Amino acid sequence: MRTVDLRSDTVTRPSAGMRAAMADAEVGDDVYGEDPTTNLLQERVAALFGHEAALFTPTGSMANQIALQLLVPPANEILVDADAHVVTYEIGAAAAYGGISSRTWPAKGGAIDPQRVAAMVRPDGYWAVPTRAIAVEQTHNLAGGTVAPLATLDALRAVADGAGVALHCDGARIWHAHVADGVPLDSYGALFDTLAVCLSKGLGAPVGSLLVGSAERIAQARWLRKRLGGGMRQVGVLAAAGLYALEHHIGRLAEDHARAARLAEALAPYGVVVGEPRTNVVLLDLHDAPGFAAAARERGVLVSVLGPRTGRLITHLDIDDVAVEQALDVLTSLLERRAA
């Protein structure tokens, strides 16, 4: 019996078609801007979001942190929700590398109250740390893959414009929001000064994210990427995987959403499902998440542990219907044993 890995959509392996594209990729030295496959990927992603330029980075965290440094000078602040990836899972990088102060609004299932955010903005003067940018996460990981509605983002854009601050999107799983709500990618792009979009989560590439923005900002971002150690050479072999993913793996995300819904539906009677999944993430409220995950692992199902009570299941390219049913056999039996 195979192992069913539901810890993350970062665990996928490149498909045969993706590996072939990587093997055939035309390459050059990207530090000199001479890798044709990387240049094509950057141009294509920029066009998808309606922006002038994009920059390939090895990780989503690097793309996010470059964006924050572009938008927020040292000793100034960014506003973000308390569970956002940029302040939860990037190990204090905004402060450590950018000298950036972060201030958060309470995380409430990924919901955003634009008026509350507006009230938090600090202008120049008054000896206070001035706000320079607002960041949002689309979809929101710790809120269970929730999708911020376009109307909410429109209102947040109006807040940013009214306050004279920038707006950044950590769009690691923005492809899922695009498929779930049918919002065109360039409609999202029009709302944000910068976006960080990931290829190695839902899209199944082995490595890589892109920072999207204006030509001027992306030119500066290239310097920041080099400073952070992200200047890569013949990186077209990885960019080719991203191009393949864009061509073949966006539309199929609906399958991941359906499988996440199947998991949630089957587990809901046990009272452990948090919310109603909109995309490929299912959050679980468990009495003992580490113990539950350990027991599931012994039976071939891998569950992510996000806290003492919080477990997470993520569907992805390598999870088919058979794997979902195998996982449910294990997870429901463990939950029944706990309830007995």
Side-chain angles (χ1 to χ4, degrees), residues 138 147 150 153 174 177-178 183-192 195:
Q138 180 77 313
V147 180
L150 189 63
L153 299 178
I174 199 168
H178 161 64
V183 175
L185 293 172
D186 59 357
S187 294
Y188 284 132
L191 295 173
F192 295 100
L195 303 95

Side-chain angles (χ1 to χ4, degrees), residues 13-102:
R13 272 70 168 180
S15 65
M18 184 178 286
R19 287 179 184 272
M22 295 169 71
D24 291 341
E26 184 181 0
V27 300
D29 191 321
D30 182 53
V31 172
Y32 291 120
E34 295 174 355
D35 188 296
T37 306
T38 302
N39 290 341
L40 178 59
L41 173 66
Q42 291 169 163
E43 291 163 9
R44 189 160 297 174
V45 170
L48 284 174
F49 289 93
H51 274 265
E52 292 179 326
L55 183 69
F56 188 53
T57 65
T59 70
S61 293
M62 183 179 287
N64 274 330
Q65 293 305 319
I66 291 172
L68 299 194
Q69 290 183 47
L70 290 173
L71 302 177
V72 185
N76 290 239
E77 77 172 7
I78 188 162
L79 302 180
V80 64
D81 88 80
D83 280 344
H85 195 282
V86 295
V87 293
T88 304
Y89 287 129
E90 298 184 13
I91 319 181
Y97 295 121
I100 296 168
S101 179
S102 302

